[in-house]
Amino acid sequence: MQTEGAWNEGGKGPSVYDTDKAGRKAIDWKIAIDNYHDFDEDLDLMKAMNMNMYRFQISWSRVVPDGDGKFNEEGIQFYEHLVEELVKRGIEPMICLYHFDMPLALAEKYDGFLSREVKDAFVRYGKAMIDRFADKVKYWIVFNEHNLYFTPTAYHYAGIISHNELTDNEIYTTFHHTMLAHAELAAYIHETKDALIGGMLAYTQIYPATKLPLDNFLVHKVNEFNYWNLCLVYSFGHYSKEVMQEVINRRIDMGWQTGDEMILKKGGADFISFSYYRSHLLDGTKIDETSSAIRYLNQGFLLDDALPKNEWDWAIDAEGFRYSLTELYSRFRLPVFPIENGIGWREDWDGINEINDDYRINYHRDHIQALKDAMFIDGVEVLGYLGWGLIDIPASSGNIDKRYGVVYVDSIKHDQRDMKRVLKKSYHWFKKVLASNGDDLE
Ligand code: BG6
């Protein structure tokens, strides 16, 4: 929904992003950067910049308008065409099956992934897409930023529209359903195709706010619940013992059914992918230890005054990126793949001069260097590096004033202008970096 536009064309059904009823700022999603109507110019820009991989989402409600039942061939053809055009240009596609845009019909009828029926419908949709595309697409992701479904704001990602104050039972159940879906689709790919499937985390490096033992321990707790619990499934096919102990202690009903254990067991991943933008601190004094540990991160979040930040207070921390890569790999021994990295910045093109985005060049240079350090000093197996939004797209807030691109799209907050593509200074820098496969970062 951040690229395609054409929210109600080509047989697409509405998703939760297309309606204010679901509480979204829907305007910019409806057009986004209009890739549904024309992606050729963008793909040409990618090729000319030496990009050799592109990750995109198949929009569930574009290919199954009601989320379940009849498939929309016209929607599927759109992605067929996109894959063909990518491959033609030597750009390897990576498909993500779900990036938060639950079909509205399933949100209204079942409250999204809170319901097991929706999990089943999602698996049907996922298997059909795998059957259709896995001969041309080798890299697959099931859920974007899967750990976000195991947090108090899970409603936002999982298509739960009836209420926002989720109970512990509801958070656990929603997450469990998505994890089952991941595992079922992973098993399906492994049993039937020659393709790879990745887990995917929203990874924020977290440091203790003080040297106190409690802060250090609570950072462990948050890591275990927010990250390792998923990685244990990706690597070993089971949840964390600590998390399961909380289920017993708090008598949590997570909708567990006979057979779920076996589903998870067969649902390992081939790699761990993640988004990385920033780090922050955890302040133990703000955490209520009588609550579930899935709530600690929201309670204890603290900004680090020592680090530089962008306008949205996202701390810039390349060392944290190396730390994430190295820790993930050393603990779980699956290849790691950062598939989102970049810096959001407010930019407004004057119509004449090139946008001088040295801040973006510096950000990517430092992060790619950190990735090289993880590989060559720490021995981490890294599959690749994908930047986020390298052609400007609306941010998750719903408008385009927070930009990540190396290509400017001339569109400002609900005023689409002509959407002209304009190269920023960082485009030329990236072109050189990619031509040298990261050797030349100057
Ligand atoms: C990730 C999401 O959380 O971060 C993207 O996968 C999002 O959808 C990106 O756009 C950057 O966040 P934001 O809020 O700056 O757009």
Side-chain angles (χ1 to χ4, degrees):
M1 74 284 181
Q2 286 169 276
T3 55
E4 286 174 18
W7 67 288
N8 59 353
E9 293 176 48
K12 179 179 174 297
S15 85
V16 291
Y17 274 84
D18 299 322
T19 167
D20 290 336
K21 196 172 156 199
R24 311 278 167 174
K25 293 179 194 154
I27 300 175
D28 281 358
W29 304 124
K30 295 192 169 171
I31 301 176
I33 60 165
D34 201 30
N35 266 182
Y36 182 80
H37 292 114
D38 181 8
F39 52 63
D40 281 330
E41 184 186 357
D42 289 346
L43 300 199
D44 288 343
L45 287 169
M46 291 176 203
K47 181 176 163 56
M49 186 182 141
N50 300 315
M51 265 173 65
N52 60 5
M53 181 176 253
Y54 177 63
R55 163 191 175 212
F56 64 93
Q57 181 210 213
I58 293 180
S59 162
W60 184 359
S61 68
R62 186 175 294 290
V63 301
V64 194
D66 290 333
D68 202 10
K70 216 168 154 323
F71 281 79
N72 170 34
E73 186 55 31
E74 196 177 342
I76 300 175
Q77 296 270 333
F78 166 70
Y79 298 107
E80 290 244 321
H81 182 44
L82 176 58
V83 167
E84 266 164 34
E85 292 298 316
L86 284 165
V87 171
K88 206 193 276 178
R89 288 169 176 82
I91 302 174
E92 177 139 25
M94 172 188 273
I95 289 182
C96 173
L97 286 168
Y98 185 81
H99 198 119
F100 311 149
D101 56 345
M102 173 68 61
L104 187 61
L106 296 181
E108 286 177 334
K109 189 164 174 200
Y110 296 110
D111 252 342
F113 283 113
L114 192 48
S115 142
R116 206 151 172 130
E117 275 85 350
V118 171
K119 184 273 285 178
D120 292 338
F122 178 74
V123 170
R124 282 191 282 278
Y125 143 73
K127 284 183 176 172
M129 294 304 101
I130 289 166
D131 285 343
R132 191 75 180 242
F133 290 103
D135 59 333
K136 295 184 202 82
V137 179
K138 188 171 168 204
Y139 290 88
W140 292 77
I141 299 294
V142 183
F143 291 102
N144 181 58
E145 305 192 322
H146 197 167
N147 51 324
L148 300 180
Y149 302 80
F150 199 41
T151 65
T153 48
Y155 62 89
H156 186 81
Y157 313 104
I160 301 171
I161 60 172
S162 69
H163 59 297
N164 291 353
E165 295 289 322
L166 302 185
T167 63
D168 294 348
N169 284 352
E170 287 173 329
I171 297 170
Y172 266 88
T173 302
T174 301
F175 171 66
H176 182 51
H177 290 159
T178 59
M179 199 37 115
L180 290 172
H182 168 91
E184 286 180 48
L185 291 170
Y188 187 69
I189 281 209
H190 291 141
E191 281 157 18
T192 64
K193 314 284 178 224
D194 181 19
L196 301 174
I197 193 150
M200 174 13 168
L201 305 171
Y203 204 103
T204 304
Q205 186 62 45
I206 303 163
Y207 306 110
T210 69
K211 283 187 253 165
L212 289 173
L214 181 65
D215 275 356
N216 279 279
F217 179 67
L218 291 175
V219 168
H220 158 77
K221 217 59 199 162
V222 165
N223 283 334
E224 183 75 16
F225 275 70
N226 285 303
Y227 305 135
W228 312 152
N229 184 43
L230 289 91
C231 296
L232 285 164
V233 179
Y234 301 150
S235 253
F236 305 113
H238 61 76
Y239 290 132
S240 144
K241 179 81 194 318
E242 263 174 81
V243 173
M244 289 300 104
Q245 190 63 43
E246 175 170 286
V247 169
I248 296 168
N249 295 352
R250 300 181 73 85
R251 296 198 171 85
I252 285 173
D253 175 1
M254 60 190 287
W256 191 276
Q257 292 185 7
T258 318
D260 287 359
E261 202 171 340
M262 274 315 291
I263 294 175
L264 294 180
K265 208 171 197 152
K266 290 199 280 178
D270 301 300
F271 59 95
I272 299 178
S273 66
F274 63 104
S275 62
Y276 179 88
Y277 295 94
R278 55 178 165 160
S279 65
H280 60 75
L281 305 176
L282 192 77
D283 177 358
T285 62
K286 296 200 290 185
I287 289 176
D288 170 11
E289 283 188 76
T290 64
S291 70
S292 161
I294 49 177
R295 300 181 187 276
Y296 289 1
L297 184 58
N298 291 38
Q299 295 168 354
F301 181 96
L302 184 70
L303 283 177
D304 186 347
D305 290 337
L307 291 172
K309 298 175 191 68
N310 72 358
E311 186 186 327
W312 291 268
D313 272 342
W314 288 27
I316 301 167
D317 178 10
E319 271 305 319
F321 186 41
R322 174 176 171 189
Y323 196 163
S324 315
L325 288 156
T326 302
E327 184 154 41
L328 276 171
Y329 181 70
S330 296
R331 275 177 182 267
F332 300 101
R333 283 303 166 90
L334 286 172
V336 289
F337 200 159
I339 60 171
E340 283 187 33
N341 179 239
I343 184 163
W345 212 267
R346 188 182 301 276
E347 292 160 329
D348 194 3
W349 183 49
D350 65 8
I352 304 166
N353 298 298
E354 183 176 78
I355 291 175
N356 184 344
D357 55 346
D358 281 329
Y359 38 84
R360 183 166 291 111
I361 294 174
N362 292 337
Y363 182 96
H364 284 285
R365 178 188 289 121
D366 292 349
H367 284 73
I368 295 173
Q369 184 56 52
L371 175 135
K372 287 164 68 175
D373 290 347
M375 291 171 74
F376 303 121
I377 301 175
D378 308 328
V380 178
E381 191 182 343
V382 178
L383 292 181
Y385 172 82
L386 303 185
W388 176 252
L390 291 180
I391 293 178
D392 285 345
I393 51 176
S396 63
S397 58
N399 59 53
I400 200 165
D401 54 7
K402 186 182 185 189
R403 295 167 183 269
Y404 288 84
V406 299
V407 175
Y408 185 85
V409 175
D410 199 8
S411 158
I412 291 282
K413 212 171 184 178
H414 313 327
D415 166 6
Q416 303 297 333
R417 297 191 188 167
D418 61 3
M419 304 248 250
K420 185 175 154 72
R421 273 46 172 172
V422 185
L423 307 187
K424 303 180 195 175
K425 186 176 176 187
S426 54
Y427 181 92
H428 309 291
W429 177 80
F430 247 117
K431 183 172 179 168
K432 201 171 49 108
V433 172
L434 297 179
S436 70
N437 195 28
D439 280 343
D440 179 5
L441 294 180
E442 283 317 303

